[in-house]
Amino acid sequence: MKALGPIPEGFEALDGELAIGGRTASALAAEAGRTPLFVYSADRLKARVASLRSAMPDRLRIHYAMKANPFAPVLAVMRELVDGFDIASGGELVLAQAAGFPTERTSFAGPGKRDEELEAAILAGVTLNCESEGEGRRALAIADRIGTAPRIAIRVNPDFELRGSGMKMGGGAKPFGVDADRVPGLARELVSGGAIWRGLHIYTGSQALDADAIIDAQANVLDCAARLSEQIGEPLVHLNMGGGFGIPYFDKDEPLDIARVGAALEERFASLPAILADTEFAIELGRYLVGEAGVYLTRIVDRKVSHDTTYLITDGGLHHQLAASGNFGTVVRRNYPVAIATRFDAQPDEVVNVVGCLCTPLDRLADKALLPAADVGDLVAVFCAGAYGATASPAAFLGQGPAVEMLV
Ligand SMILES: *Cc1c(COP(=O)(O)O)cnc(C)c1O
């Protein structure tokens, strides 16, 4: 038997079934008209942002990194909750604009921005988080041609990283950001070239559950930002401090202690160096805001036994749940939180493998999982499905196509 990940708090049974937004899994599947489906809870999104705000200093702005979940109805909810959107492509710019998010509170990071993307962002007044000298110069040339001053921040490739982070994005050679020692020179060049200076972006990693690791990374980010601003010779207008707040996906993962992170940041904010005294500070979060608000529901289409192992075969799989299948940046596959949604309050009594419908051994949703006995027609729930599910999975693989998405 292998343990399942922890089901996020607050999911309850209604008529014996998992309920989301006050509706049972089978009612939601009936409304969708087909399975699999992603269900996102607006109430959970709101509660999440509210609890985060109460833990963080008032001065800290909260940005949503929309690559975690760009579903339009989710963006419409997030628009009312957060202070900024962070985008990572021209496609996401279109989605952010369609969601009616103010472009002057949108910033655009990501390596390899094409000229068309830079132009669209400059025209829209989005802040470019500049990833290289070459990109900065292209942005200036485009701005010159279209006669619009570009709002530019520099993404720093810092000399440190977020300890214990799921995906390391700082420290050493990286395709992201400008090496710290070259930032002051580029900043001066961009400003004298006509850019509106929007400060620094320092992203150190993601999916950290250890408050101390985040506290250390934030302290390093503030020190680095102060040092670079001294070298640039201007007070810092805006600092995107990165994010990296993780959520528990696996057995023994503990939720991040945001109260501690917030208290430490409050303390740092109380004793800032002069060059950061008037800085606007922001964190950018993806999965922390939306991950636990989403559930993936997939129907069991077959139940079979092979060499004494019971398989529950579902109509979903890695084409919607690449991360849960263990194929999105994980070294050792572990089980996500999974349940039989239509028997949510039943006692677990058999060990089964839950798999998807793709013809590949990679397509696993839960290995050797202890679950209530389930059969064809039952719905399986995969939790933590609100981030990096629908859009971070190869939906076209094997001709399957996308899942239904619903906000309730
Ligand atoms: C992906 C990404 C994020 C969001 O990461 P999460 O782990 O979902 O919070 C934030 N900022 C940058 C620069 C990113 O690349």
Side-chain angles (χ1 to χ4, degrees):
M1 191 179 102
K2 288 188 190 160
L4 292 165
I7 294 175
E9 262 174 47
F11 283 107
E12 275 163 19
L14 177 65
D15 301 334
E17 293 195 24
L18 170 67
I20 308 162
R23 282 134 84 185
T24 62
S26 40
L28 291 163
E31 186 184 324
R34 64 184 168 91
T35 49
L37 66 151
F38 285 92
V39 185
Y40 312 118
S41 156
D43 286 344
R44 291 188 70 100
L45 294 173
K46 290 173 192 161
R48 186 63 157 201
V49 177
S51 74
L52 181 67
R53 279 203 195 277
S54 71
M56 292 296 135
D58 289 341
R59 177 170 180 179
L60 184 70
R61 299 175 180 217
I62 295 171
H63 289 195
Y64 175 47
M66 68 177 269
K67 78 171 190 280
N69 187 333
F71 183 50
V74 167
L75 296 183
V77 173
M78 297 307 283
R79 181 187 65 201
E80 306 303 320
L81 299 176
V82 299
D83 309 307
F85 272 16
D86 292 320
I87 60 172
S89 72
E92 288 190 350
L93 173 59
V94 171
L95 296 172
Q97 286 179 303
F101 197 81
T103 42
E104 69 278 5
R105 289 195 278 126
T106 302
S107 56
F108 181 4
K113 300 183 189 77
R114 294 184 289 264
D115 285 355
E116 309 81 73
E117 295 177 302
L118 290 171
E119 180 169 335
I122 293 167
L123 274 175
V126 163
T127 294
L128 298 171
N129 290 347
C130 177
E131 302 268 355
S132 74
E133 279 105 344
E135 182 182 295
R137 288 171 196 143
R138 280 193 294 130
L140 287 183
I142 291 165
D144 206 37
R145 175 165 58 72
I146 62 177
T148 307
R151 295 159 64 85
I152 305 188
I154 296 178
R155 176 165 179 184
V156 181
N157 174 25
D159 299 322
F160 49 87
E161 61 189 8
L162 175 55
R163 271 188 287 121
S165 151
M167 253 181 230
K168 294 196 169 27
M169 298 186 53
K174 288 288 177 305
F176 313 108
V178 175
D179 292 352
D181 57 344
R182 300 216 301 267
V183 168
L186 179 60
R188 285 191 292 264
E189 179 183 336
L190 294 173
V191 171
S192 65
I196 299 167
W197 180 234
R198 293 299 300 152
L200 301 171
H201 173 210
I202 309 180
Y203 187 72
T204 55
S206 77
Q207 182 50 24
L209 293 173
D210 176 4
D212 289 321
I214 290 190
I215 290 167
D216 286 354
Q218 290 184 335
N220 286 332
V221 164
L222 289 169
D223 292 344
C224 173
R227 196 169 59 243
L228 291 175
S229 298
E230 293 289 353
Q231 289 166 13
I232 294 165
E234 287 201 39
L236 186 59
V237 279
H238 182 89
L239 176 63
N240 178 332
M241 309 181 56
F245 293 21
I247 58 173
Y249 288 105
F250 305 119
D251 184 39
K252 302 200 170 64
D253 280 357
E254 293 288 340
L256 174 66
D257 184 350
I258 54 167
R260 251 157 47 74
V261 173
L265 197 55
E266 191 87 66
E267 221 170 277
R268 286 297 305 236
F269 281 178
S271 60
L272 288 170
I275 202 141
L276 302 185
D278 297 320
T279 304
E280 241 172 60
F281 295 99
I283 50 170
E284 50 175 355
L285 302 175
R287 74 188 73 214
Y288 187 83
L289 300 182
V290 297
E292 294 184 357
V295 179
Y296 177 72
L297 295 174
T298 176
R299 201 176 292 283
I300 298 171
V301 291
D302 199 4
R303 179 188 162 105
K304 65 186 267 188
V305 176
S306 168
H307 289 277
D308 296 331
T309 297
T310 300
Y311 287 86
L312 303 179
I313 300 176
T314 68
D315 61 5
L318 76 76
H319 52 297
H320 305 143
Q321 282 289 327
L322 194 63
S325 75
N327 296 293
F328 191 57
T330 31
V331 182
V332 179
R333 188 191 174 284
R334 287 189 287 167
N335 287 326
Y336 263 44
V338 166
I340 305 298
T342 36
R343 302 172 193 255
F344 197 56
D345 62 358
Q347 286 305 313
D349 54 7
E350 64 174 8
V351 174
V352 295
N353 286 355
V354 183
V355 300
C357 56
L358 302 188
C359 199
T360 158
L362 300 177
D363 194 7
R364 297 184 282 172
L365 293 175
D367 282 344
K368 301 195 176 79
L370 179 63
L371 290 169
D375 213 332
V376 173
D378 275 312
L379 292 166
V380 170
V382 180
F383 295 89
C384 298
Y388 307 111
T391 59
S393 304
F397 192 33
L398 279 155
Q400 290 290 339
V404 180
E405 291 181 273
M406 292 169 66
L407 177 84
V408 298

